[in-house]
Amino acid sequence: MNWINKKTCLKWLKPIFLVLIGAIVGSGGLVLYFCFSNTTIKATNEYDPWLISYYLFQIIGAIGTMMAVVVALSKEAIMKWLYSPSLEISLVDNGVTENIPDTQKVPVATSFECLACIDNKGSLAALGCRVYVSDIKHGKNKANVKSIKNLKSKQLQWTSSGVDVPIGIPSKIRLFEVINPNSIGTPGENSSEKPRILFNGLELKNNQSEKGYWIIEYYISCKNGKVSKFSLNVEWNGEFKSRTTDMEEVLNVEINRK
């Protein structure tokens, strides 16, 4: 039912309810008119207006009872669907955001982050949101990726253990970071370590974080809404560049919403 716009349903709910009430009142008015006037309804014989009104009210009462039962049985499900958060995930800066210290005279990135923007398009604030990794695959290229064993669902570090996402106020979370080892050690000295990709919430071996192709499965849970799932495809040749335009040539990030 994701193709149905909840806001449109809420917009038309009141007019539809008023039309139904109007139809019932109008039907009742017609019945009373025939009952208290000298008009008779003829087909092959004459019928008593009071008898007709009796049957009409019986039909209206039966329909009303059926509608009341249906609403009573499905009220909770309907209210949860109409009034619930709906989280949408997108990438900031195409998944490659550079970090440059303000003190540098020549702009050179010390690291690059992949930030996800979580926006609430629903009708209620999403309470206590948490992001988890459910699976991660790695390989030298896309054709030979394999799941990393002994990986349990890991919660990503966020601003707090459970984040509230109000309607129209997006929240960002870091999915991974690529760090230049030369920016960590003594200034002016080149480090012998290779650049690595560090995934939020995970600890990978060196050969699993230096270069290759990764497919990471995520899900977002909140206290008052359904689980949202998405995956991230990351391809990196292991090189570190000083600016975003150059880094995007060696680091490719794609998000798949489910």
Side-chain angles (χ1 to χ4, degrees), residues 30-45:
L30 287 174
V31 170
L32 292 176
Y33 169 75
F34 283 111
C35 290
F36 290 99
S37 69
N38 296 323
T39 305
T40 56
I41 302 176
K42 295 183 179 181
T44 56
N45 299 307

Side-chain angles (χ1 to χ4, degrees), residues 80-93:
K80 281 186 177 180
W81 180 76
L82 288 175
Y83 299 96
S84 64
S86 178
L87 301 179
E88 293 186 3
I89 302 93
S90 60
L91 293 178
V92 178
D93 300 328

Side-chain angles (χ1 to χ4, degrees), residues 81-212:
W81 180 76
L82 288 175
Y83 299 96
S84 64
S86 178
L87 301 179
E88 293 186 3
I89 302 93
S90 60
L91 293 178
V92 178
D93 300 328
N94 295 321
V96 184
T97 301
E98 62 183 9
N99 293 321
I100 301 177
D102 297 332
T103 56
Q104 286 188 356
K105 295 181 180 180
V106 179
V108 176
T110 57
S111 65
F112 291 90
E113 290 181 322
C114 176
L115 300 174
C117 178
I118 301 177
D119 196 6
N120 185 0
K121 299 292 186 178
S123 52
L124 282 180
L127 305 178
C129 297
R130 300 181 180 185
V131 183
Y132 296 87
V133 175
S134 58
D135 185 39
I136 180 170
K137 299 181 178 66
H138 175 254
K140 293 182 179 180
N141 51 60
K142 186 177 181 179
N144 62 1
V145 293
K146 296 181 180 179
S147 293
I148 298 177
K149 298 180 179 179
N150 300 324
L151 175 69
K152 298 180 180 180
S153 294
K154 300 291 185 179
Q155 182 178 350
L156 275 64
Q157 295 181 356
W158 208 347
T159 54
S160 62
S161 59
V163 177
D164 296 341
V165 182
I167 301 171
I169 305 178
S171 182
K172 297 178 182 178
I173 184 171
R174 177 172 52 85
L175 300 181
F176 69 80
E177 185 177 18
V178 178
I179 299 177
N180 182 5
N182 294 327
S183 64
I184 301 176
T186 304
E189 294 184 3
N190 292 329
S191 173
S192 59
E193 294 186 14
K194 297 179 181 180
R196 295 181 58 193
I197 185 169
L198 305 176
F199 289 97
N200 188 358
L202 297 173
E203 294 183 6
L204 303 181
K205 299 177 182 178
N206 288 343
N207 62 347
Q208 297 171 337
S209 60
E210 291 178 350
K211 62 179 179 179

